[in-house]
Amino acid sequence: MAAKTMRKAEELVEKAMKGNDASHDAWHVWRVRDLALSIAREEGLSSNSDSMEIVELAALLHDIGDYKYIRDPSEEKLVENFLDEEGIEETKKTKILTIIKGMGFKDELAGVALCESLPEFGVVQDADRLDAIGAIGIARCFTFGGSRNRVLHDPEIKPRTELTKEQYIKKEEQTTINHFHEKLLKLKKLMKTEAGRRRAEKRHKFMEEYLKEFYEEWDGST
């Protein structure tokens, strides 16, 4: 696969994600790509050039046509059309699309354990989830909440403990802080790779410390 295809994928990311808030912009994609390639190397995939290409393209294209930002139904087909135009062979294309389709937390909640047999899937999903936790994850969480005019915190609104896929997608009357409890603090245990688990430990701990400080300041105790 030519470097030209990767450059075109980067151009598609910049075009398709232009106008998104900073929680889901091109910088998020570049970070996920870098993390995914790093994890893939640690997981021993670098000896297989096909695997590395699948990881890089899936990481680059994973948020195009995201249901949270979709402005036009045709955007759902952008990735598939791009892979066809670039002449990506069918097996590789199927793997990339399968990875992208199975990435979401909403699908994990519905018990859809898509493509567990694909080692590239765990690599890309872990990279995306790592960008949702730690210092960057905190910044992205409040950026997204602000973009939707969500309340920072309301002690009267408790986090939902058992979330269905439909409830997660609807995001009915929720606070930004509750998103930590409903999703972000659960991600460490959902990592699929050893390299992902190692990285998640530090990021998870940072979020726990942040929340402790947040609640103390909210109550005026510090």
Side-chain angles (χ1 to χ4, degrees):
M1 196 190 299
K4 193 172 80 169
T5 298
M6 293 303 173
R7 277 201 305 277
K8 284 190 179 173
E10 289 168 357
E11 285 165 14
L12 179 61
V13 167
E14 287 176 337
K15 185 180 169 193
M17 300 182 77
K18 194 178 179 184
N20 285 7
D21 66 81
S23 71
H24 291 81
D25 61 0
W27 284 106
H28 161 65
V29 174
W30 311 148
R31 289 190 304 270
V32 170
R33 186 249 306 265
D34 291 346
L35 269 170
L37 290 173
S38 175
I39 291 169
R41 285 190 287 272
E42 283 183 45
E43 293 291 311
L45 299 187
S46 55
S47 57
N48 184 330
S49 62
D50 279 356
S51 275
M52 295 302 277
E53 285 167 0
I54 287 165
V55 164
E56 185 163 8
L57 271 180
L60 281 171
L61 303 171
H62 80 276
D63 260 347
I64 292 173
D66 185 325
Y67 75 97
K68 296 187 291 297
Y69 293 91
I70 213 148
R71 291 167 276 262
D72 181 307
S74 68
E75 289 180 29
E76 288 183 4
K77 286 284 182 190
L78 274 175
V79 172
E80 198 169 345
N81 293 343
F82 171 79
L83 296 173
D84 286 339
E85 283 162 18
E86 288 302 305
I88 305 298
E89 59 106 352
E90 204 57 37
T91 314
K92 207 176 272 188
K93 178 185 139 184
T94 303
K95 286 182 177 180
I96 291 165
L97 291 172
T98 306
I99 290 167
I100 292 170
K101 193 177 175 190
M103 289 275 285
F105 186 68
K106 65 186 191 307
D107 294 310
E108 190 112 28
L109 287 169
V112 182
L114 271 173
C115 52
E116 287 294 348
S117 56
L118 257 181
E120 297 89 351
F121 167 67
V123 165
V124 180
Q125 190 185 56
D126 280 5
D128 188 41
R129 288 176 168 181
L130 283 166
D131 204 56
I133 61 179
I136 295 264
I138 292 168
R140 290 182 65 217
C141 187
F142 285 106
T143 299
F144 184 77
S147 77
R148 303 298 161 104
N149 291 322
R150 210 166 273 166
V151 174
L152 275 183
H153 176 49
D154 181 344
E156 296 300 311
I157 302 173
K158 303 298 179 197
R160 298 162 297 181
T161 48
E162 293 300 321
L163 268 180
T164 65
K165 180 175 175 176
E166 288 69 31
Q167 280 177 315
Y168 179 76
I169 291 171
K170 271 192 354 209
K171 292 274 196 288
E172 66 235 359
E173 209 205 339
Q174 269 313 301
T175 69
T176 296
I177 281 291
N178 280 357
H179 190 61
F180 284 88
H181 299 285
E182 293 177 354
K183 176 184 177 181
L184 306 187
L185 291 168
K186 294 177 179 177
L187 293 180
K188 183 182 79 162
K189 286 185 180 171
L190 297 175
M191 293 288 154
K192 305 288 191 300
T193 66
E194 276 304 317
R197 279 190 280 276
R198 276 197 305 275
R199 285 171 167 81
E201 284 293 336
K202 182 185 170 198
R203 296 185 185 217
H204 183 86
K205 189 165 179 280
F206 187 82
M207 286 195 303
E208 288 182 323
E209 288 165 359
Y210 172 80
L211 286 170
K212 182 174 178 287
E213 178 70 17
F214 182 95
Y215 291 127
E216 285 174 2
E217 290 183 14
W218 186 272
D219 295 336
S221 57
T222 55

